[in-house]
Amino acid sequence: MPYALLVIIQPGQATREFEVGDEVVAIGRALDNTICLDGDTNVSRYHAEIEKRGDLFWLLDLASSNGTTVNDVPVEAERQLQDGDLISVGGSTAIEFQLGDTPWAGKQHPQKGGHNEASESILEAAKPDVTPAAAKVPGVTGGAASDPAAAVPQPLTANQSAGGPSLMLIVAGVGGGLLFTGLVAILIWSRMAPACNPSVHIISPQTSTTIR
């Protein structure tokens, strides 16, 4: 007894799978269809049907506006489906028809046409190159170049120098310069300040006035 599976590929939607039973499978944009394609405006409200007749499966076009094709061949009224047929409804949504000898429920469905192998090749090509930079230098083998950890620079400790003057020496130099500049400024100001020789003239002394 053959079992049929529909793989629905609708633009902008996730791929869906539907197992065909003894009931008629209605396909269209209306919500009461078995397979509802409400997001595809090229599909008629009641576009097509798939019907099981004995051990055979038939596709019927319901006088749809944009038509139905099987393997790019227009379906005038009805057509018997074969394993691997590609149904197009409205010219945009595709439905792949698959036949099997056992029920499809709980079974993995390999994609036809080598889709899995192509996907693996794309993923393999997209993997980043994680080879250490030292390992790419021609003629460099073993030692620090062969050890990825050796290529990672280690942070300087408190007792290590980066090749220049230490921070303490820089601070001491700047402080000494400022102190020297202050002393020179005080010396110059003291020499330039005018001498103070005050004198007092008492014009109208009062009686009993004490002068110090």
Side-chain angles (χ1 to χ4, degrees):
M1 178 179 179
Y3 296 88
L5 181 74
L6 304 177
V7 181
I8 305 153
I9 307 169
Q10 185 179 2
Q13 304 288 338
T15 302
R16 294 177 286 166
E17 294 180 350
F18 182 84
E19 187 171 355
V20 181
D22 294 332
E23 301 294 331
V24 174
V25 178
I27 303 171
R29 193 160 37 89
L31 297 178
D32 57 346
N33 284 285
T34 311
I35 298 177
C36 177
L37 304 174
D38 58 337
D40 193 341
T41 57
N42 294 326
V43 177
S44 300
R45 288 178 54 80
Y46 300 97
H47 197 103
E49 291 181 347
I50 295 179
E51 179 181 343
K52 183 178 181 181
R53 302 175 187 172
D55 290 342
L56 303 177
F57 295 87
W58 292 80
L59 172 67
L60 293 80
D61 181 78
L62 304 179
S64 59
S65 300
N66 295 319
T68 305
T69 64
V70 176
N71 302 328
D72 296 329
V73 178
V75 177
E76 298 297 336
E78 62 179 26
R79 169 172 173 162
Q80 181 183 343
L81 295 173
Q82 305 293 333
D83 183 32
D85 281 345
L86 187 62
I87 305 167
S88 176
V89 289
S92 53
T93 297
I95 301 176
E96 184 177 355
F97 180 80
Q98 299 180 12
L99 283 176
D101 297 330
T102 58
W104 295 94
K107 185 168 62 173
Q108 296 292 333
H109 315 311
Q111 296 291 335
K112 299 187 177 181
H115 298 313
N116 289 340
E117 290 79 358
S119 300
E120 292 176 359
S121 299
I122 294 173
L123 291 175
E124 186 68 25
K127 288 182 178 179
D129 185 5
V130 295
T131 305
K136 298 180 181 180
V137 179
V140 178
T141 58
S146 61
D147 185 5
V152 180
Q154 299 297 325
L156 293 176
T157 63
N159 296 326
Q160 289 179 326
S161 173
S166 66
L167 181 61
M168 294 300 295
L169 291 177
I170 294 175
V171 173
V174 173
L178 293 176
L179 180 60
F180 177 76
T181 302
L183 292 176
V184 171
I186 293 172
L187 181 61
I188 294 175
W189 178 83
S190 64
R191 287 184 176 276
M192 293 180 63
C196 183
N197 297 315
S199 61
V200 179
H201 299 276
I202 302 173
I203 297 174
S204 298
Q206 299 296 324
T207 305
S208 303
T209 301
T210 300
I211 300 174
R212 293 185 177 88

